[in-house]
Amino acid sequence: MTVKELFQPLDFKEIIEPLVLKYPKALKPMSEYKENYDIILNTEFSGEGGTITFHPNGDSDAYMIEGDRYLNIVGMEVILPANGEVSKAEAAAEILWCAAPFGRHPVVDWSVFEEDVAESCALQAKRLDIKMALPYCRDKEILRVLKREMQSPSEDLCLSAEANDWFVFGKGKLWGNRQNRSKRKRLYRMKKRSAELYLSSEIHKELDLLEAKIGYVSENIRQLALYSSSIDKAYYKSQTAGKTDRIAYLEDLLLNPLYNSKKFLSHDKNQECICVLYTTPECPCTSDEQNRITDILRKYFGSTPWQLFTRQCNFIDCEVELNITYITQ
């Protein structure tokens, strides 16, 4: 049987149990797996295919489908052990785990995307890391490469293989060994400053990304982000293939407790959330749909402050995509 034929008789609830059992700490919100489950059911095979084999001890080569396209995955042949050591639900869970993308990327207007401050902080942090390592380098060639990298205007590391092994993976470094008290204190301060710079860089990147999504970011949101303890993002996209209501699909993802979509909400902390609803110019968001999504978000957030923006983009057919940024102090 093919992957699609394996999934068709299975309800999503049947797949969740083996999925949670095998990967309890590595799971994303279940809503993402629900979306990928529906993608598999709605996708027609159009590829080269292949074979996914499950062995009696539970091992499989399902990991080979990581990064493959769904239009090829759905037509792959699934081979299960003859004596039933691996159930269909367990096989489907493993395939869903391996097929689910590792990252979700928001739709943004790159023409307004700037990250000068973020790049500056990341560049300072990179140079400070190299400065901490230089006193411990005894290889002249690696030392020359590191000093050249100190002068580079790019935040990205560009090292030789030997320098990369030494600097990134720590081969040969003497971090913290044979240091007197004053040197240990200096190294501690430098490490602390480096961590602060990297954090500042990430926060400014998130602010730039948010500005590229919605335009002007208010000073209140900017200050909240700059002093935040975490900034999390979640993406919810309808996968109806035109068969069901797209707003009802989002409602199920957000409000169904089975999907753990409130994972990033913290009602006991100072938190504010920015929501961006994307539709296509061909299938814009109607006033009725906007009223419905507003009611859904009101139930979802409860007492947590939130804002909703609507934007149009291509590449999502006639579906809707909801991007939520959770800013927590």
Side-chain angles (χ1 to χ4, degrees), residues 35-169:
E35 290 179 43
N36 292 299
Y37 165 82
D38 287 326
I39 291 174
I40 289 174
L41 294 181
N42 292 327
T43 301
E44 296 299 327
F45 172 60
S46 176
E48 298 176 355
T51 303
I52 304 173
T53 304
F54 288 84
H55 304 288
N57 63 357
D59 292 339
S60 74
D61 53 9
Y63 65 90
M64 297 294 291
I65 68 175
E66 292 177 1
D68 203 345
R69 296 169 300 169
Y70 281 109
L71 57 83
N72 186 56
I73 292 174
V74 295
M76 288 183 171
E77 189 72 19
V78 180
I79 301 176
L80 300 178
N83 49 9
E85 278 106 336
V86 178
S87 68
K88 290 184 177 181
E90 289 172 336
E94 186 67 18
I95 291 171
L96 192 62
W97 166 262
C98 295
F102 289 104
R104 299 285 294 278
H105 305 285
V107 183
V108 298
D109 181 4
W110 295 106
S111 64
V112 299
F113 191 77
E114 299 177 0
E115 50 180 2
D116 295 339
V117 178
E119 288 178 353
S120 174
C121 292
L123 179 59
Q124 291 180 62
K126 183 194 78 171
R127 289 175 174 170
L128 191 56
D129 280 348
I130 296 174
K131 185 177 180 181
M132 285 189 284
L134 286 178
Y136 304 101
C137 184
R138 299 294 179 264
D139 188 300
K140 290 184 179 180
E141 182 58 33
I142 293 177
L143 196 62
R144 189 158 42 247
V145 172
L146 290 176
K147 286 183 177 179
R148 185 173 64 242
E149 189 63 23
M150 281 277 285
Q151 306 304 317
S152 169
S154 171
E155 63 176 295
D156 299 317
L157 278 172
C158 184
L159 302 174
S160 65
E162 294 78 11
N164 189 72
D165 284 344
W166 188 89
F167 181 73
V168 177
F169 298 107

